Amino acid sequence: MTQLVLNYSTSLLEAIWENLKGLGRSFIFARQMSANREIAEYLHRTGEYRTYHEALDSLNKRTLQEMKDA
């Protein structure tokens, strides 16, 4: 009986942990996308990219690749 309760508790804690990790990743992703918008504006103003959207697309693609690799 004790083993059954421990297995259930462990499964529950693992599920909660996975949800918290997902929430944390979502928060990090949202903050990075927000930073990308500001950085893209700066890169466009300094002339490193021809358009704001070109810079933003490049930064967002890198962010998505990093999130997939993590």
Side-chain angles (χ1 to χ4, degrees):
M1 183 70 172
T2 303
Q3 185 67 30
L4 180 64
V5 171
L6 288 176
N7 285 339
Y8 177 75
S9 298
T10 302
S11 297
L12 180 63
L13 289 174
E14 287 174 352
I16 292 170
W17 178 247
E18 287 301 316
N19 285 329
L20 288 175
K21 283 186 355 185
L23 183 64
R25 286 186 190 122
S26 296
F27 179 75
I28 291 168
F29 182 73
R31 290 293 301 143
Q32 184 61 49
M33 290 302 212
S34 177
N36 285 353
R37 287 190 296 273
E38 293 179 30
I39 294 167
E41 186 177 328
Y42 173 78
L43 292 173
H44 172 62
R45 276 188 280 127
T46 60
E48 288 194 45
Y49 286 90
R50 285 180 276 149
T51 67
Y52 163 80
H53 295 289
E54 181 183 335
L56 184 60
D57 182 56
S58 176
L59 292 168
N60 286 344
K61 282 181 182 177
R62 289 182 195 169
T63 299
L64 287 171
Q65 188 59 44
E66 288 289 325
M67 292 300 284
K68 286 180 185 177
D69 293 343

